[in-house]
């Protein structure tokens, strides 16, 4: 049984005069201890998918269809009360900007202790010990326990958010653009930290990023989102060796390669569609270099190619 098994998930935002189909029929599986990178342009629905798993989609958004099986239970059908037991305790999330999630008036250590005590049956002194242990696990010395968030660098704040997220001992961590605000060196350190945590804690991680090269470095598998849909899902190695979907190919060509003399910056011309009124056929067709007649008329199905899949008429 997969740890997480999402089937045909649809999450829409109901605006006064339109419906934004932010996640529109996504199916995705994650095994225990696996890191899955979720990549795609801004507005493709990555955060909405992450929030859907925790059932934290803000109104006017809501899940309209599909299922999210986590350890065999469908989260979509759970009540808010039951979800509260799963959130944090079993599935945690790390957000892009740690300052919005850390309380500036509270010492970092105390925030950790509070989180631990809310989710685990431990005494105050045990919680303090655990808090120090988790700070050390993410590379922050236990002596920084008494610091306030403003005394931390950006990278340390992000590390303390990660410490907070794992301190409840979850099985799944959803990290939404956890390093976008950080420089590349700190970014690489945080990615190393995720790898370490996966190994030490058998943690499964969904890493949301717009940067496919970051995802490829640490993810076992990569899901490529385009306009609310998953257009390709495969191992990082297969994506690297042979991307199938024309959109994935475009993303890969856009990765700068300093070893090549050709330093031309590649990009994918055009813009993603309006999600309240997407094209009838393939959503990528208007920007696709390999477009055929059928692409503008019919919706491509998910085509299995060995143990990966691609949503494109070029295959199958
Ligand atoms: N609260 C909201 N109300 C209305 N529409 C929303 C809301 N949040 C997101 N959307 C819309 O849903 C679509 C998907 O947005 P989402 O934030 O999930 O994309 P994303 O892939 O995470 O983008 P980014 O890379 O910029 O974070 C977009 O069209 C966005 O405008
Ligand atoms: Mg986002």
């Amino acid at each position: 049984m997969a740890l997480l098994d999402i089937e045909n998930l649809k999450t829409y935002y109901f605006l006064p005069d339109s419906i934004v189909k932010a996640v529109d029929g996504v199916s995705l599986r994650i095994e225990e201890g696996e890191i899955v990178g979720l990549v795609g342009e801004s507005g493709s629905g990555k955060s909405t998918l992450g929030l859907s798993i925790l059932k934290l989609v803000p109104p006017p958004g809501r899940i309209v269809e599909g299922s999210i099986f986590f350890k065999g239970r469908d989260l979509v059908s759970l009540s808010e009360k039951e979800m509260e037991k799963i959130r944090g305790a079993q599935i945690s999330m790390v957000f892009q900007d740690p300052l919005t999630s850390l309380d500036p008036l509270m010492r970092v250590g105390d925030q950790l202790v509070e989180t631990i005590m809310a989710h685990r049956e431990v005494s105050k002194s045990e919680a303090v010990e655990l808090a120090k242990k988790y700070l050390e696990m993410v590379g922050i010395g236990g002596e920084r326990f008494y610091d306030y968030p403003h005394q931390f660098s950006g990278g340390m704040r992000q590390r303390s958010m990660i410490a907070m997220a794992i301190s409840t001992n979850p099985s799944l961590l959803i990290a939404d653009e956890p390093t976008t605000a950080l420089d590349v060196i700190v970014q690489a350190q945080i990615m190393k930290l995720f790898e370490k945590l996966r190994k030490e804690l058998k943690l499964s991680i969904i890493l949301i990023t717009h940067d496919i090269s970051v995802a490829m470095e640490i993810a076992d598998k990569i899901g490529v989102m385009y306009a609310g849909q998953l257009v390709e899902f495969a191992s990082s190695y297969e994506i690297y060796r042979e991307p199938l979907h024309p959109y994935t190919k475009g993303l890969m060509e856009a990765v700068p390669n300093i070893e090549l003399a050709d330093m031309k910056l590649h990009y994918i011309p055009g813009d993603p569609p309006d999600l309240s009124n997407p094209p009838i056929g393939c959503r990528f067709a208007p920007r696709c270099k390999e477009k055929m007649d059928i692409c503008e008329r019919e919706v491509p199905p998910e085509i299995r190619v060995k143990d990966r899949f691609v949503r494109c008429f070029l295959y199958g």
Side-chain angles (χ1 to χ4, degrees):
M1 188 173 65
L3 178 73
L4 186 78
D5 195 348
I6 302 176
E7 258 167 64
N8 193 32
L9 186 72
K10 298 187 180 176
T11 304
Y12 297 170
Y13 293 98
F14 293 84
L15 304 184
D17 45 11
S18 66
I19 299 173
V20 180
K21 298 176 175 172
V23 172
D24 205 12
V26 168
S27 300
L28 183 71
R29 286 168 72 106
I30 297 164
E31 309 292 336
E32 199 181 281
E34 198 167 64
I35 302 182
V36 170
L38 205 58
V39 304
E41 269 162 302
S42 181
S44 56
K46 306 179 299 294
S47 296
T48 304
L49 178 58
L51 292 169
S52 299
I53 297 169
L54 281 164
K55 297 229 292 186
L56 283 178
V57 181
R62 65 184 156 85
I63 296 173
V64 294
E65 210 183 304
S67 49
I68 304 172
F69 282 93
F70 175 72
K71 297 186 174 170
R73 285 167 91 196
D74 184 8
L75 303 183
V76 174
S77 67
L78 293 190
S79 66
E80 179 54 26
K81 230 182 157 153
E82 289 170 302
M83 270 317 290
E84 276 167 15
K85 287 188 210 141
I86 289 182
R87 249 181 244 134
Q90 302 211 43
I91 308 176
S92 319
M93 190 151 178
V94 177
F95 297 92
Q96 176 168 346
D97 180 5
L99 272 189
T100 55
S101 327
L102 284 172
D103 182 345
L105 300 177
M106 215 174 150
R107 294 175 204 273
V108 173
D110 291 336
Q111 298 188 46
L112 259 165
V113 169
E114 203 172 72
T115 307
I116 292 170
M117 291 190 67
H119 292 280
R120 294 169 78 157
E121 307 263 313
V122 291
S123 68
K124 178 92 193 264
S125 62
E126 286 169 323
V128 170
E129 282 319 299
L130 277 172
K132 288 184 177 162
K133 179 187 116 181
Y134 283 108
L135 278 180
E136 270 170 23
M137 195 180 274
V138 301
I140 299 176
E143 77 279 0
R144 305 299 298 263
F145 185 89
Y146 301 101
D147 283 359
Y148 286 93
H150 71 86
Q151 293 170 288
F152 277 14
S153 67
M156 281 169 76
R157 280 185 213 132
Q158 194 56 282
R159 283 171 191 272
S160 50
M161 284 311 302
I162 295 169
M164 203 107 53
I166 58 171
S167 68
T168 55
N169 204 15
S171 326
L172 176 64
L173 178 70
I174 302 170
D176 191 357
E177 304 273 8
T179 58
T180 311
L182 306 172
D183 67 64
V184 285
I185 307 227
V186 179
Q187 178 171 312
Q189 291 169 343
I190 301 269
M191 291 302 143
K192 278 238 151 59
L193 172 61
F194 282 137
E195 275 183 324
K196 177 180 117 148
L197 296 176
R198 174 259 288 275
K199 225 181 272 160
E200 287 177 9
L201 307 175
K202 284 218 187 81
L203 190 63
S204 302
I205 301 174
I206 298 179
L207 175 69
I208 298 176
T209 167
H210 56 267
D211 189 339
I212 196 168
S213 59
V214 168
M216 220 143 38
E217 256 175 63
I218 70 156
D220 304 294
K221 293 180 186 159
I222 290 183
V224 181
M225 296 270 299
Y226 186 78
Q229 296 178 328
L230 205 60
V231 296
E232 181 157 5
F233 188 68
S235 72
S236 299
Y237 175 70
E238 285 168 317
I239 297 267
Y240 170 76
R241 199 180 50 104
E242 191 192 13
L244 296 180
H245 198 284
Y247 178 62
T248 317
K249 290 183 204 171
L251 286 181
M252 292 295 291
E253 279 165 15
V255 173
N257 187 339
I258 48 166
E259 283 158 27
L260 288 183
D262 167 24
M263 284 292 283
K264 236 186 336 183
L265 270 184
H266 292 271
Y267 69 104
I268 306 169
D271 294 305
D274 173 4
L275 288 183
S276 58
N277 187 20
I280 348 174
C282 170
R283 293 183 179 185
F284 186 60
R287 300 170 77 184
C288 185
K289 285 196 280 195
E290 300 174 72
K291 178 181 66 185
M292 302 172 289
D293 284 342
I294 188 171
C295 306
E296 286 179 320
R297 280 185 279 116
E298 284 176 41
V299 178
E302 283 178 1
I303 291 166
R304 309 226 146 250
V305 183
K306 289 181 208 141
D307 52 356
R308 60 195 290 191
F309 80 70
V310 59
R311 196 185 265 280
C312 179
F313 284 116
L314 288 171
Y315 307 92

